C-alpha cells in the first residue's frame, strides 16, 4: 500500500491504495467512460503527443480450419490450367462489357428503388460520434469516393434526420480483417422503418442444390447496395455529417434493416429462373455438372447483371474453380 496524493479542485486528498507502476515509454489510452469514472477533467490542448501518428496494426481473426486452404492439386495440373485459360478467354468479352459500365449507374429494375417509409412526425437524429484521429483519413477517402461516384450529394437545409458514421472491420480477398470501412449507424432510423420479411435462403438449402456439381464460379458485386437507388423524396433520411457539411446518400448504404431482404428479392427476379445460379444476398455462385457447360452458365449470369446495370467486382470473383469458399464453408 502506498500513500497517493490526489488533487481535486482546491482540495488535496491523501489516499492509501495499491499503485501499479508502468515502465516509461508505454502508451496508455483512457476512454471517456473511464475518465469520467475517475473524475478526471481535461482542459487545454495536448502538446507533443504521438499517439495519433500511428495506425494500429491490423489483426486477423484466427478461423479454425479442417485443413489448410489452397489451390487443390487437381487445379495445378497442366491440363486443367489449359482448360481454365480457354474458359477465361471465352468469358472475357462479357466481363469487359460489364466493367465498362459507369459506377454512377443504378440498377434498372424498378423493384430495386429503396423506400424509407417512416411515421409522420417521427425523426431520427443522432450527431456524429468522435472518430479517432488516426482513422479520419479512412473516412475522408470514403466520402471523397462517394462524392466522385455520385453516391452522396449535399444535404438540404434544416434536416431532421442524421445518422453517425462508424468504422467497421473490412475483410480482404482472403477473409482477413485489414482496415476498416465507414458505415452509417442507422439503429435509430431502423426503429422507424417498416419490416420487410422476404425469406432468405438457408445455407443448408444452397449446399443441397450444389450436390453433384464439379465446377464452380463465385461472383461478387461491386458496391452492390449503392447501386440500389433511394427514392428521391426519401433521401434526406439518409443524411450524415462529415467535414462541417451534411451529406445524403442517393444509393443505399449498408445498415438499412430491410436492404438484405430487398436485395435477395431483386436477385431472385433477375436470376431466379436459372437453376445453375444460387444467390445469398450479394453472393452469387454458379455451378455446373460438367466443365463444358460452365462457359454458357457464367456468360448468361454476367449478361443479365450487365443488363440490370449491376457491376461485378472482378478482383474478388473466382471463376472456374473445383473448390471455392462460400459463406465461410469450403465447397468442392
Amino acid at each position: 500500500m502506498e500513500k497517493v496524493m490526489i488533487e481535486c479542485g482546491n482540495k488535496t486528498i491523501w489516499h492509501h491504495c495499491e499503485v501499479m507502476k508502468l515502465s516509461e515509454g508505454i502508451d496508455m489510452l483512457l476512454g471517456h467512460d473511464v475518465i469520467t469514472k475517475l473524475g478526471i477533467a481535461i482542459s487545454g490542448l495536448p502538446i507533443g503527443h504521438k499517439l495519433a501518428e500511428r495506425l494500429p496494426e491490423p489483426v486477423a481473426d484466427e478461423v479454425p480450419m479442417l485443413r489448410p486452404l489452397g489451390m487443390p492439386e487437381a487445379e495445378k495440373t497442366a491440363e486443367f490450367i489449359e482448360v481454365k485459360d480457354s474458359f477465361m478467354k471465352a468469358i472475357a468479352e462479357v466481363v469487359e462489357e460489364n466493367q465498362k459500365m459507369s459506377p454512377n449507374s443504378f440498377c434498372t429494375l424498378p423493384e430495386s428503388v429503396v423506400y424509407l417509409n417512416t411515421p409522420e412526425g417521427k425523426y431520427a437524429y443522432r450527431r456524429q460520434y468522435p472518430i479517432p484521429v488516426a482513422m479520419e483519413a479512412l473516412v475522408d477517402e470514403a466520402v471523397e469516393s462517394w462524392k466522385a461516384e455520385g453516391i452522396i450529394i449535399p444535404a438540404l437545409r434544416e434536416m431532421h434526420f442524421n445518422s453517425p458514421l462508424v468504422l467497421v472491420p473490412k475483410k480482404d480477398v482472403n477473409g482477413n480483417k485489414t482496415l476498416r470501412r465507414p458505415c452509417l449507424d442507422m439503429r435509430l432510423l431502423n426503429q422507424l422503418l417498416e419490416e420487410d420479411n422476404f425469406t432468405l435462403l438457408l445455407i443448408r438449402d444452397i449446399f443441397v442444390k450444389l450436390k453433384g456439381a464439379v465446377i464452380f464460379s463465385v461472383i461478387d458485386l461491386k458496391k452492390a447496395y449503392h447501386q440500389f437507388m433511394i427514392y428521391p423524396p426519401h433521401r434526406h433520411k439518409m443524411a450524415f455529417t462529415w467535414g462541417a457539411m451534411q451529406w445524403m446518400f442517393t444509393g443505399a448504404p449498408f445498415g438499412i434493416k430491410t436492404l438484405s431482404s430487398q436485395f435477395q428479392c431483386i436477385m431472385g427476379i433477375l436470376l431466379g429462373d436459372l437453376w445453375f445460379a444460387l444467390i445469398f444476398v450479394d453472393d452469387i455462385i454458379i455451378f455446373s455438372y460438367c466443365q463444358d457447360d460452365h462457359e454458357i452458365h457464367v456468360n448468361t449470369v454476367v449478361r443479365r447483371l450487365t443488363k440490370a446495370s449491376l457491376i461485378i467486382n472482378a478482383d474478388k470473383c473466382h471463376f472456374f474453380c473445383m473448390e471455392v469458399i462460400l459463406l465461410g464453408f469450403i465447397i468442392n
Side-chain angles (χ1 to χ4, degrees):
M1 301 290 288
E2 293 189 20
K3 191 176 183 181
V4 178
M5 182 181 71
I6 302 175
E7 293 186 0
C8 183
N10 296 326
K11 297 181 180 180
T12 300
I13 302 172
W14 290 90
H15 182 64
H16 290 277
C17 62
E18 293 186 4
V19 178
M20 180 179 66
K21 294 183 178 180
L22 297 177
S23 303
E24 292 185 2
I26 296 179
D27 297 325
M28 177 182 291
L29 298 178
L30 297 178
H32 288 292
D33 53 343
V34 176
I35 290 176
T36 302
K37 291 180 180 179
L38 295 177
I40 300 175
I42 301 176
S43 61
L45 296 175
I47 299 175
H49 71 88
K50 297 182 179 180
L51 293 177
E53 297 177 3
R54 295 202 310 270
L55 189 66
E57 291 294 328
V59 178
D61 290 342
E62 293 186 4
V63 181
M65 295 293 182
L66 297 177
R67 56 183 174 79
L69 293 178
M71 184 182 296
E73 291 299 321
E75 291 190 21
K76 298 178 182 179
T77 64
E79 180 182 0
F80 183 85
I81 293 174
E82 182 180 355
V83 174
K84 184 169 183 175
D85 288 342
S86 176
F87 168 84
M88 295 304 295
K89 292 177 182 178
I91 68 168
E93 184 177 349
V94 294
V95 172
E96 290 175 5
E97 182 182 357
N98 179 276
Q99 298 296 282
K100 291 178 182 178
M101 288 191 297
S102 169
N104 299 330
S105 60
F106 290 116
C107 180
T108 57
L109 273 65
E111 296 87 351
S112 67
V113 178
V114 179
Y115 293 87
L116 304 171
N117 297 313
T118 55
E120 187 71 25
K122 296 286 186 178
Y123 306 107
Y125 191 100
R126 183 170 286 169
R127 66 175 299 155
Q128 176 58 46
Y129 304 137
I131 296 290
V133 176
M135 301 287 187
E136 287 182 355
L138 297 178
V139 182
D140 289 336
E141 182 181 352
V143 171
E144 289 299 319
S145 174
W146 293 339
K147 286 165 54 181
E149 295 179 6
I151 295 172
I152 60 173
I153 57 177
L156 306 174
R157 298 182 61 183
E158 300 180 359
M159 303 290 285
H160 296 294
F161 289 83
N162 193 84
S163 297
L165 289 167
V166 292
L167 294 165
V168 299
K170 181 180 179 181
K171 294 182 179 181
D172 59 17
V173 293
N174 297 316
N176 297 322
K177 294 178 181 178
T178 52
L179 296 177
R180 292 180 178 270
R181 172 172 52 194
C183 297
L184 288 186
D185 178 1
M186 291 189 288
R187 287 175 292 182
L188 202 59
L189 176 62
N190 281 336
Q191 295 175 11
L192 304 179
L193 296 180
E194 299 173 348
E195 297 291 339
D196 186 346
N197 296 320
F198 186 87
T199 304
L200 300 180
L201 278 178
L202 295 176
I203 296 176
R204 64 171 178 265
D205 294 337
I206 295 177
F207 294 159
V208 168
K209 293 182 179 181
L210 294 175
K211 182 180 179 180
V214 297
I215 201 72
F216 310 91
S217 289
V218 177
I219 291 182
D220 181 80
L221 296 177
K222 187 174 183 180
K223 297 182 179 179
Y225 288 174
H226 289 330
Q227 293 184 276
F228 276 27
M229 183 180 71
I230 295 176
Y231 180 52
H234 291 175
R235 287 176 181 174
H236 66 284
K237 300 178 184 181
M238 285 284 91
F240 70 95
T241 304
W242 186 252
M245 285 190 63
Q246 197 173 33
W247 305 88
M248 59 186 184
F249 280 88
T250 60
F254 289 94
I256 302 175
K257 71 175 182 180
T258 58
L259 203 52
S260 294
S261 294
Q262 183 175 0
F263 203 97
Q264 182 77 29
C265 177
I266 298 307
M267 297 307 293
I269 294 173
L270 189 63
L271 304 174
D273 62 320
L274 304 178
W275 63 264
F276 48 81
L278 295 174
I279 311 106
F280 188 86
V281 190
D282 60 342
D283 286 303
I284 305 170
I285 183 166
I286 307 167
F287 61 99
S288 306
Y289 297 122
C290 69
Q291 294 182 356
D292 293 339
D293 293 339
H294 204 57
E295 174 191 333
I296 299 173
H297 295 165
V298 172
N299 277 333
T300 301
V301 171
V302 176
R303 284 196 182 101
R304 289 200 182 185
L305 293 174
T306 302
K307 187 176 180 180
S309 294
L310 293 174
I311 305 173
I312 68 175
N313 190 346
D315 293 336
K316 290 188 177 181
C317 293
H318 301 277
F319 293 110
F320 205 79
C321 301
M322 299 179 71
E323 180 178 284
V324 293
I325 302 176
L326 181 68
L327 305 172
F329 292 85
I330 303 170
I331 300 175
N332 57 33

